[in-house]
Amino acid sequence: MAKTNSFALINSAGRAGKRPRKESARELQEAAVQLLNQHQDLAGLLQEIGSQNPCDVSEKMTAQQKDLTIKVPTAAIGGSLLVSELRRQAGELGVPVAALSVRMVLDRLLEVTTSTEGEDRGLGLLLTSTQRAQLGALLRSTSELISLGAFCPKLFWHECWKKQEDRGRPKLEVAHHLHSHHILTLEFILESDEGVQPWLMTELKSLCGWRAASGEEEEEEEGKETSLKVLSTVLGVLVGAGFEASLQDPAAPGRRISQLCCSVLDHMLSWLLDSLEAKPNLRSSGPAAAASLWVQVFDVQLCGVSREALGRFFTHSLTHTLTYRPTLKVSDAIAMQSEWGFAETPPLLTSLFRKLAVVSTVDQLLSHLQQVLEIHEVNWQHVLSFLSTLLVYNPNAQSSLKELLSRLLSSAFESFDLENMITAFLLARQGALEGPAFFPSYSDWFKMSFGSTSGYHGNGKKSLVFLLKFLSDLVPFDPPQYLKVHLLHPPYVAVKHRSLLQEYVCLAKTRLADHKVSVEDMGLFEDVSGVAGPTVLPQKQAIQDVEKAVSLFESTGRISATVMEASIFRRPYYLSRFLPALLTPRVLPVKADARMSFVEALKKAGKIPVVQYSSYMESCQTERHRHQDGVGAERGDDDPVEVLKVQLEVFSGLVTGNTAGEASAQLARLSHTLSVIFPERAVRRVGEGVVALSTHQPLSSDLHAKVVSLILRSFCQCLMDTSALDTPKEQSQWAARFVSALLGHSQLTSALLTQLWELLHNQGPLLSSAHVLGLAAFVVHLHASKSQCPLVQLSSPLLPSKPVGMCEALSLALPCTTQTNMLFCARFCVAAVCYGLSREDPPSSESQPLSQYLPSSLYKKLLYLIPRLLPELGRAAPPGVVRGASQGSRGPQVTEGQGQGEMSGLWQGVVEDSATWRSSAKKLWNLPVFRHLRQLPGYQLSFSEWLATELRVQRSEDALSDPDRQEYQQWAFHQEYLCSGADHGGCEGDMRTLCSHTLHALLDLQTSLRCENPAGNVNKAWSRISLGCPLLLVSAVRWWVRLSPVLESLWARLCDGQALPEQLQLLANCHLWAGSPGKAVSSTLGSAPPLLLSACLHWVWRDRGPSQGLDQRGSLERLRGLLKEEQYRQALVFVLFLSLMDLLATFLHPQDAENHQNVREMCSDILSLSVDSSDWLLLFNHPGQAKDVYQCVTMVTPDEYNRLMPLAFYSVVVELSSEMAGRAVRHPGFLHTAVLCYIALFKLFLDGHTPPPITKAAHHQIDPSQILSQAQQFLLRTISLSGPSSLTSTQLDQLEAQCAELDPEVSTALSFHRHPPNLSPDMDFL
């Protein structure tokens, strides 16, 4: 064998001498030729020559032999020997040398690469390690033959392709090695035969899906590495050959190979896109998993490919993706768009879009997208998913998209181009799907584009018609959420064109009805931002409304105005949806919770029907019994907290890994999960931009509390992890985008606010350093995102009455009244200001603001606390500061370089373990940048603010002793504020000003006397009192005779003799008029509320009755002439109400019993004037339910009196004459009220709730038990006199059912009323 002879040859050379001379090489070659002539095994020789150690005996050689072989030029000798032998044998056989060498190499190739028997197909895609080494040796030998002109690569490939036609095509890895060893290029291979192209595509797809059969990790890693190398090489060749600029010309010589490469690339991309059709549960394996490896090699570092060619390839591939299988119509896209948000996009498609977008700017990508939309039919799902990916991964995409939408709309309305309109609306809606962290809501975009006269449609009727026609064409396909936006935020339309808009409104409402959704059925607090999401059923929407209403009631103590309005103007929804959701039976707690209190408040306000409330209470009792018996079943729901926890952990890893794009994508997924936990999405309706904060109650929902705590802990941890790596300014925008995404969920925002208040106000000193630092940074980002934050209405009377900003509200959670909370406030504010300064750019000039990340409320707390707690800092003027300098004076100047150097390490000094708030405060106080803030408006702690804060300090728990506090206050008075300029909050050296401020602070005059218009503020306050607390109004009238002299004297003394405020003078005028109602009505009474007039009349008639010569009936007759005016008719009803209260008092209180007959007669007389109107019936039928003017009745009626109103009703009506009773019966609502009052009266007696009989009753007083029998006779007579239309069939059914057990006689009379006897025998045949 050649190997043996070669080994002998080398050994013999070794025996000839230790170091052969250079000229012995020729002799050695001749000897070798002689040996080869005797042993002519070309395959063995070929194998030997290609090996780096041809003899494979290096391990057996001595050091002397190895040294010898290194010095011998074996490769050159071997190649020459092999060529000599090839030529000799070719001459003998009569064939060309190249043909013989091709056959020899091919045979060896097949021997090396043929799979062993039993080897599975998965391993057969790639060579084994041994095969790869042997092939490398063979190809090195082949390269030597080529260099010596003894091998034809093209003939070799032709023979290789032909020989393997029957036994399986070559492996793609072999072609890769041929290309890498410069034996054959892949371009030549692709162009050599028509069958190569399909073979290549099949091999590429198979290689993408390769998996190791044995499952060994080492083999799996090696195979994956090889696959990526092969795929990358092939892709680089295909891209280079297909997209180089020199090949783009149709007449270029290499145009055919360019087209072939493009065809292969397009086929592979189509295969990838087809794999997306796999079911979601199969995407982790199969075609989709295989295709992900193909996407993985789309890299800007593709070997041998210019950036220009790569850009053309990515652009071409993006176009191919956006236009692939455009089967969906625009109408389909409109209807299905909500299912194509980023969170729903397959990860494979997202990865593809990210790879294709890497070499282009956002503007270039959007410009290309616009071109594709203008020229091609597109796959709308791919187009919109691409836009979502672009928005999520590129912070600048939002502004670029807004510019594109503006261009599209401008172009659309200039040429009335429908396609541009469609494109703009689809793109805007897609952006809105991703939430406000990435793009404004659809409702905001629609209002901004069309909600005012400056809208795109505002240049004429033709443009308006074009818009409304377009919206009308969308109606058959638009999802309900977009129709709601168009209806609740319609485009601006001039008055003369309102009919055009009305046509669209009717069409949209009809379509909503087809969806079984109506504007009337919309939730009370429903989001109409147009954000796509799962359709909320009316029942679920009602549940959300109940939760929101209970939350508002819990925080404000009042029934929401939205609920009160719904009970009147949206009564069908209120009765059929809202109340059933609220009155869901449950086990009522022993101590009333917020929901229970809310139900009772509605019941007291007459907003819950009595029957429905009774049924609810009975059902709750049943639930309690079931619970006690162990019948109640527990529900087990999936815990969304665990899902969120995992997503937050992933987000934390991405943030610290400095992968901004992936972190942004994960944030979008987090937002999607939060939208499930907090169903109310991103943007509030107009009028709902204020969040109520209850400062004394924590979160009521355990789930919400867990989620908020998890979010805040995750933010704090991320902040500490990233702070260990870099300064806040150098970090990515993860924190800002994180907070922005949270603010996109209004219900979550409210929960966050409540939890932050709880932590800062009640648990602050217990928080760890990491939590303090994290929460401080969180509040800073809330300040930076204040344009997204709602205003906050605080519930405490000691806090501002007007809504304030979110950051300012949270600063109020940091009191400075005791040493403990002072120290915590200082820690928190130092951390917040240090973080904010580290985030800011240093000002390059005095005019540049420095406040984006610096909340003024926290800064001013430091101005108060640092001089107080650290006197060595605060009471010594910092360098460069001149006491008493006005704003016009030149304060400390901050240069850009100086500020940057000072602020760079500020935050790092705070987060160090050894740092204390005192050291950080010292460093902060001495910063010129910190002092520079005092020159900005809003960042100055005025003397009044300092006084207000100082006066709230509790001396017994102060951080300062009494002497220290006195010294500090003297310093503040004389050195800090007395000499400071007014523009810095000081007194400019004026002692009178300082004393005036001090006096006002001590007196608090928060009163109206401190304002410029005392009378106006008193009028405003009294008007609010009259509406919010009518009982106080009635009481003021009752005691006016004693109260008025004191008020007039006090007002004249304090206001230099000015006349009484208008509202107080009006009360005096009404009191005067009531004493002589026959006098001409003064014009000043025109604005008097009916309750005020009635209270005055009632007081006069009660206290100045017949005993003082007042003719009550004469007064009533004179009042009759005024009843043409609505104001006085309403006042008469209120007088009746107040008189009925007096009547009930005669039943309840012995001292009033002697007035019973007089009061009863007075009530009858008043009723005789009111009987022609049905308003008085509202006093007995849930006052306030039908007309707002009588709503205040429930606010001045004690519960005990309210329960006895049926007794008052029948005490009065039984006294009516036959004529009056007949006139009353003619009103449609009288019979219904009479039956309901009778039922309620009957139950009062059954339940024992009637007033006890008074032992020493007046002669004319009727015992309550007698009224029941009189009431029955009156009711039976009323039923007989009432016409068939007095009650509806539904009312009759309800009343009959209630009377059946209580009073069968009344029930029979009602049944008789439903079916009166037929008195005409002539009609019997009917």
Side-chain angles (χ1 to χ4, degrees), residues 404-416 420 456:
L404 173 60
L405 294 175
S406 179
R407 292 196 303 270
L408 288 172
L409 289 176
S410 298
S411 175
F413 280 93
E414 285 174 4
S415 57
F416 302 107
N420 279 340
Y456 294 95

Side-chain angles (χ1 to χ4, degrees), residues 454-707:
S454 60
Y456 294 95
H457 66 304
N459 55 357
K461 179 180 179 181
K462 192 173 182 181
S463 296
L464 174 63
V465 171
F466 174 66
L467 173 62
L468 293 178
K469 176 65 167 59
F470 170 74
L471 293 178
S472 299
D473 292 341
L474 291 183
V475 166
F477 316 104
D478 253 343
Q481 68 266 20
Y482 297 119
L483 293 174
K484 292 177 184 178
V485 170
H486 299 163
L487 289 176
L488 295 176
H489 305 294
Y492 171 80
V493 176
V495 177
K496 59 183 178 181
H497 299 317
R498 287 291 171 84
S499 60
L500 299 176
L501 177 62
Q502 193 59 37
E503 293 177 6
Y504 170 77
V505 170
C506 294
L507 185 63
K509 285 187 176 181
T510 302
R511 183 56 180 163
L512 282 175
D514 294 340
H515 283 292
K516 297 184 179 179
V517 175
S518 67
V519 178
E520 289 75 16
D521 279 343
M522 284 176 56
L524 307 184
F525 306 96
E526 183 176 347
D527 169 37
V528 291
S529 62
V531 174
T535 301
V536 180
L537 297 176
Q539 295 84 352
K540 292 186 177 180
Q541 183 63 59
I543 293 174
Q544 295 176 15
D545 286 342
V546 168
E547 293 175 352
K548 180 71 172 180
V550 172
S551 175
L552 290 174
F553 177 80
E554 184 180 12
S555 60
T556 64
R558 298 190 300 271
I559 301 173
S560 167
T562 305
V563 176
M564 298 299 287
E565 291 170 2
S567 69
I568 301 172
F569 301 111
R570 298 192 57 195
R571 193 164 179 77
Y573 176 83
Y574 177 80
L575 292 176
S576 63
R577 302 289 188 199
F578 182 80
L579 282 184
L582 174 65
L583 301 179
T584 302
R586 65 184 182 119
V587 178
L588 297 178
V590 177
K591 183 179 179 181
D593 59 4
R595 191 186 187 102
M596 191 172 174
S597 300
F598 179 62
V599 171
E600 291 301 320
L602 284 176
K603 174 180 175 291
K604 185 176 180 180
K607 299 301 180 183
I608 303 179
V610 176
V611 176
Q612 194 170 5
Y613 178 80
S614 300
S615 175
Y616 165 67
M617 296 301 295
E618 292 174 1
S619 300
C620 289
Q621 288 296 331
T622 302
E623 285 294 316
R624 177 175 292 279
H625 294 319
R626 290 178 59 200
H627 180 76
Q628 292 173 347
D629 296 339
V631 179
E634 296 183 357
R635 297 184 303 173
D637 299 326
D638 294 335
D639 187 3
V641 178
E642 292 302 319
V643 178
L644 185 67
K645 185 177 181 181
V646 172
Q647 291 181 331
L648 285 170
E649 290 175 354
V650 174
F651 178 76
S652 178
L654 293 173
V655 167
T656 54
N658 200 24
T659 53
E662 290 294 342
S664 183
Q666 184 66 10
L667 190 58
R669 300 182 187 102
L670 273 170
S671 182
H672 183 266
T673 303
L674 290 173
S675 69
V676 176
I677 302 175
F678 299 91
E680 187 178 13
R681 285 294 299 270
V683 182
R684 291 156 292 276
R685 291 189 301 175
V686 173
E688 295 292 339
V690 178
V691 172
L693 172 60
S694 177
T695 58
H696 59 281
Q697 290 183 341
L699 283 173
S700 57
S701 169
D702 292 339
L703 173 61
H704 291 179
K706 289 180 181 178
V707 170

Side-chain angles (χ1 to χ4, degrees), residues 970-1076:
Q970 288 178 351
W971 166 83
F973 270 71
H974 295 290
Q975 298 185 42
E976 183 69 9
Y977 288 108
L978 178 60
C979 299
S980 298
D983 49 6
H984 279 83
C987 303
E988 295 188 326
D990 188 347
M991 184 62 73
R992 291 184 303 174
T993 302
L994 185 140
C995 293
S996 175
H997 281 299
T998 305
L999 182 61
H1000 280 299
L1002 291 172
L1003 295 176
D1004 196 12
L1005 301 173
Q1006 298 297 325
T1007 67
S1008 62
L1009 295 179
R1010 291 185 57 188
C1011 50
E1012 297 179 358
N1013 183 15
N1017 281 306
V1018 168
N1019 289 331
K1020 185 184 299 183
W1022 185 252
S1023 298
R1024 291 179 178 177
I1025 289 173
S1026 301
L1027 293 175
C1029 187
L1031 183 60
L1032 187 58
L1033 173 66
V1034 175
S1035 300
V1037 172
R1038 174 69 180 84
W1039 299 103
W1040 182 249
V1041 173
R1042 299 183 183 181
L1043 185 63
S1044 60
V1046 179
L1047 277 178
E1048 291 173 357
S1049 174
L1050 181 63
W1051 185 264
R1053 178 170 57 85
L1054 295 178
C1055 295
D1056 298 328
Q1058 294 182 18
L1060 280 176
E1062 180 182 353
Q1063 289 295 321
L1064 295 182
Q1065 187 61 52
L1066 179 63
L1067 196 156
N1069 293 340
C1070 289
H1071 219 272
L1072 182 63
W1073 167 81
S1076 54

Side-chain angles (χ1 to χ4, degrees), residues 49-202:
I49 293 173
S51 175
Q52 291 182 352
N53 184 4
C55 304
D56 283 338
V57 291
S58 59
E59 295 182 0
K60 301 177 183 178
M61 288 184 180
T62 64
Q64 181 181 10
Q65 291 170 332
K66 290 181 180 180
D67 185 65
L68 174 64
T69 57
I70 291 173
K71 297 301 182 179
V72 176
T74 56
I77 296 173
S80 299
L81 293 176
L82 184 58
V83 171
S84 298
E85 178 59 22
L86 282 171
R87 286 173 178 164
R88 188 187 67 78
Q89 288 196 18
E92 292 178 358
L93 297 173
V95 296
V97 175
L100 184 59
S101 65
V102 164
R103 187 189 68 182
M104 177 187 64
V105 173
L106 181 58
D107 289 343
R108 177 58 183 160
L109 177 69
L110 294 177
E111 180 184 347
V112 170
T113 60
T114 301
S115 302
T116 59
E117 185 176 355
E119 189 178 41
D120 67 31
R121 180 162 180 79
L123 277 175
L125 292 171
L126 295 175
L127 301 174
T128 64
S129 302
T130 303
Q131 289 176 321
R132 200 169 290 121
Q134 292 174 348
L135 179 61
L138 174 62
L139 295 182
R140 284 191 293 275
S141 298
T142 307
S143 297
E144 181 67 20
L145 291 176
I146 293 174
S147 66
L148 296 173
F151 187 82
C152 179
K154 296 182 179 180
L155 179 60
F156 167 76
W157 178 254
H158 177 75
E159 292 298 323
C160 181
W161 185 259
K162 181 178 179 182
K163 194 162 188 177
Q164 297 194 59
E165 186 172 3
D166 299 329
R167 46 193 300 186
R169 296 300 184 191
K171 295 179 174 65
L172 181 57
E173 185 182 354
V174 173
H176 159 72
H177 288 301
L178 290 173
H179 177 85
S180 300
H181 285 79
H182 307 291
I183 295 172
L184 281 169
T185 65
L186 285 172
E187 293 95 327
F188 169 79
I189 292 175
L190 183 59
E191 200 174 10
S192 62
D193 191 275
E194 293 182 355
V196 174
Q197 185 179 2
W199 163 79
L200 177 60
M201 294 185 294
T202 302

Side-chain angles (χ1 to χ4, degrees), residues 1091-1140:
L1091 181 60
L1092 175 59
L1093 293 172
S1094 63
C1096 292
L1097 283 172
H1098 175 259
W1099 173 82
V1100 170
W1101 291 348
R1102 176 180 175 178
D1103 286 14
R1104 294 173 56 192
S1107 61
Q1108 297 189 26
L1110 179 67
D1111 183 5
Q1112 296 176 346
R1113 291 184 176 171
S1115 298
L1116 278 175
E1117 288 300 320
R1118 289 191 292 272
L1119 185 63
R1120 185 190 299 272
L1122 301 175
L1123 294 182
K1124 295 179 181 180
E1125 299 183 26
E1126 181 70 12
Q1127 178 186 17
Y1128 293 94
R1129 289 201 300 271
Q1130 294 172 356
L1132 191 62
V1133 174
F1134 280 118
V1135 173
L1136 174 61
F1137 164 73
L1138 295 172
S1139 300
L1140 289 173

Side-chain angles (χ1 to χ4, degrees), residues 884-889 933-943 977 979-988:
S886 65
Q887 191 166 350
S889 304
L933 286 170
R934 297 190 71 173
Q935 301 179 17
L936 302 179
Y939 284 81
Q940 297 142 2
L941 182 68
S942 68
F943 183 50
Y977 288 108
C979 299
S980 298
D983 49 6
H984 279 83
C987 303
E988 295 188 326

Side-chain angles (χ1 to χ4, degrees), residues 40-52:
Q40 301 166 0
D41 186 354
L42 290 176
L45 181 60
L46 179 66
Q47 181 180 0
E48 179 181 331
I49 293 173
S51 175
Q52 291 182 352

Side-chain angles (χ1 to χ4, degrees), residues 851-866:
S851 56
Q852 181 183 1
Y853 290 97
L854 290 170
S856 61
S857 54
L858 301 185
Y859 175 80
K860 289 197 287 188
K861 284 186 180 291
L862 286 183
L863 294 182
Y864 172 76
L865 289 171
I866 290 181

